[in-house]
């Protein structure tokens, strides 16, 4: 009976350690997009390299992705662009990120009367999300 408990405990520890090891920091390329339903102004950030980002190994989603979007929303709020809806897109290579960026930008360049603003990296910079990383299953 005791040997079963010990084996189960060891197995649980090994599975937990394996899941934690899968969450290693990676370098990603990220850009942000912001729009408002109240006017035709949209914002694009430069594609930026972010070190120490975490990607869920199963879903391939950026861990805490909403917090990257909140960084952009808070910056835009501070410069007077209130109530922006912000999204963050990322890729593990710069080439992939550029492809996504150009596809989204093309949609706004040719599809209407949008007032497009570009935020250079010197104006706005994404900060890596730090803190406790939960085990993502």
């Amino acid at each position: 009976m005791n040997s079963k408990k010990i084996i189960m405990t060891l197995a649980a520890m090994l599975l937990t350690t394996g899941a934690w090891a899968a969450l290693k920091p990676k370098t990603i390329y990220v850009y942000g997009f912001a729009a408002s339903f109240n006017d035709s102004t949209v914002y694009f950030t430069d594609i930026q390299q972010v070190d120490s980002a975490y990607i869920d190994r199963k879903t391939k989603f950026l861990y805490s992705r909403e917090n990257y979007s909140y960084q952009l929303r808070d910056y835009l709020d501070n410069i007077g662009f209130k109530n922006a809806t912000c999204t963050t897109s990322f890729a593990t290579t710069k080439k992939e990120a550029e492809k996504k960026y150009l596809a989204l930008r093309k949609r706004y360049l040719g599809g209407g009367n949008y007032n497009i603003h570009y935020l250079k990296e010197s104006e706005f910079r994404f900060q890596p999300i730090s803190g406790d990383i939960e085990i993502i299953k």
Side-chain angles (χ1 to χ4, degrees):
M1 184 79 157
N2 284 337
S3 62
K4 284 185 180 180
K5 287 183 182 179
I6 292 172
I7 291 172
M8 294 298 283
T9 303
L10 288 173
M13 288 175 49
L14 288 174
L15 289 173
T16 304
T17 305
W20 182 258
L23 290 175
K24 294 181 181 174
K26 289 184 139 188
T27 298
I28 62 166
Y29 297 88
V30 64
Y31 69 88
F33 170 78
S36 173
F37 294 111
N38 297 329
D39 65 23
S40 60
T41 302
V42 295
Y43 283 85
F44 287 90
T45 68
D46 283 343
I47 296 173
Q48 301 173 14
Q49 180 177 326
V50 175
D51 298 321
S52 301
Y54 295 87
I55 299 174
D56 184 310
R57 64 185 168 94
K58 288 186 180 179
T59 63
K60 306 296 186 219
F61 265 55
L62 178 61
Y63 177 76
S64 199
R65 183 177 181 169
E66 70 279 2
N67 288 319
Y68 288 96
S69 296
Y70 294 155
Q71 289 177 24
L72 179 58
R73 183 199 62 194
D74 293 344
Y75 172 80
L76 292 172
D77 196 44
N78 286 335
I79 65 168
F81 191 62
K82 306 284 184 192
N83 303 317
T85 301
C86 300
T87 62
T88 303
S89 185
F90 78 98
T92 54
T93 66
K94 190 167 186 174
K95 186 175 182 176
E96 284 180 55
E98 287 171 344
K99 184 177 177 182
K100 292 179 182 182
Y101 179 87
L102 292 174
L104 182 62
R105 196 179 84 167
K106 182 179 178 182
R107 196 181 301 173
Y108 284 90
L109 284 174
N113 295 323
Y114 293 101
N115 185 12
I116 301 173
H117 294 275
Y118 298 98
L119 295 172
K120 297 195 179 297
E121 196 168 343
S122 60
E123 297 172 284
F124 172 76
R125 174 97 180 112
F126 285 106
Q127 299 302 314
I129 302 298
S130 61
D132 295 332
I133 301 299
E134 298 174 9
I135 297 174
I136 301 171
K137 296 181 180 178

